[in-house]
Amino acid sequence: FKGGRTAADLMNKLLPNGGNIQIIISSYNLSCHTDRLNGFKNYINENKLNFNILPIEENHDKMEKTYQIAIKSFLENKVDGLYITGSGIGGVRKALLESNQKIKVICHDLLYETIDMLKDDMVSFAIGQSPELQGYLIVKTLFEYLIKNEVPSQSKIFVPILIHSKESI
């Protein structure tokens, strides 16, 4: 949820006058992606931003499906920003190259392809989720519970949201 809110805040900084936003969600059946989407929309509504969200599309983390969604949207609409909640960023790259459009793109996860797109100014920001830290905290919490009989002090463990840009990689 916070990742989606962060993405909306960043999009607002990129497009302070608003604009048309295409959102590509992995799947409505994955809570982490619906949480990101809900956080994005919540921030927009809460701050009364001048964004028009185009019909939200599912890509099921498939690059080719992402490409089909993106190219269709780029050719049929004036798209100012694109937010993708999951995988498939390579499809966005292909659509941007074919359509020769400059669109503000925000995605999640710092993958090799995302790094290349940041370097090429095709992605404005990539939001990281500290996977190594997440793994460590899970093992540490389980160890403390199972071996030391220590019950976690909180029901949720939050990890910092990392924001990657061309200059930070």
Side-chain angles (χ1 to χ4, degrees):
F1 189 83
K2 251 180 122 42
R5 286 183 58 87
T6 301
D9 180 39
L10 292 169
M11 191 67 76
N12 186 43
K13 288 171 177 29
L14 293 170
L15 301 169
N17 296 321
N20 293 324
I21 308 297
Q22 178 67 63
I23 299 175
I24 301 174
I25 186 172
S26 173
S27 172
Y28 284 106
N29 295 323
L30 296 172
S31 64
C32 60
H33 295 279
T34 56
D35 286 347
R36 288 174 180 169
L37 173 63
N38 290 334
F40 191 88
K41 289 167 42 175
N42 173 268
Y43 185 92
I44 289 170
N45 293 332
E46 183 180 293
N47 292 283
K48 298 174 179 51
L49 301 181
N50 190 26
F51 287 136
N52 173 43
I53 297 179
L54 299 169
I56 299 166
E57 301 279 350
E58 287 181 288
N59 71 352
H60 302 285
D61 287 331
K62 305 287 187 212
M63 189 175 82
E64 186 58 33
K65 179 70 175 169
T66 307
Y67 162 74
Q68 292 167 1
I69 293 166
I71 196 72
K72 182 176 189 283
S73 184
F74 296 169
L75 296 176
E76 293 179 359
N77 305 290
K78 180 190 181 312
V79 178
D80 301 295
L82 183 140
Y83 173 48
I84 180 168
T85 69
S87 296
I89 195 68
V92 173
R93 173 193 273 283
K94 184 177 173 186
L96 287 170
L97 289 171
E98 282 186 23
S99 67
N100 199 32
Q101 295 201 31
K102 292 285 184 191
I103 294 168
K104 304 300 183 187
V105 176
I106 297 175
C107 64
H108 289 267
D109 302 325
L110 194 62
L111 308 171
Y112 293 115
E113 195 155 30
T114 310
I115 292 170
D116 289 341
M117 290 177 72
L118 282 163
K119 289 178 182 176
D120 294 340
D121 289 320
M122 298 177 92
V123 166
S124 301
F125 296 105
I127 300 171
Q129 55 185 336
S130 307
E132 297 87 0
L133 180 59
Q134 284 184 38
Y136 166 76
L137 290 173
I138 289 168
V139 172
K140 178 180 178 285
T141 302
L142 280 172
F143 173 81
E144 289 170 350
Y145 180 74
L146 295 173
I147 304 301
K148 296 179 167 183
N149 293 320
E150 292 178 10
V151 177
S153 60
Q154 33 190 350
S155 63
K156 293 181 180 181
I157 300 172
F158 293 96
V159 295
I161 292 173
L162 304 175
I163 300 170
H164 304 282
S165 69
K166 180 179 182 177
E167 295 303 319
S168 72
I169 54 173

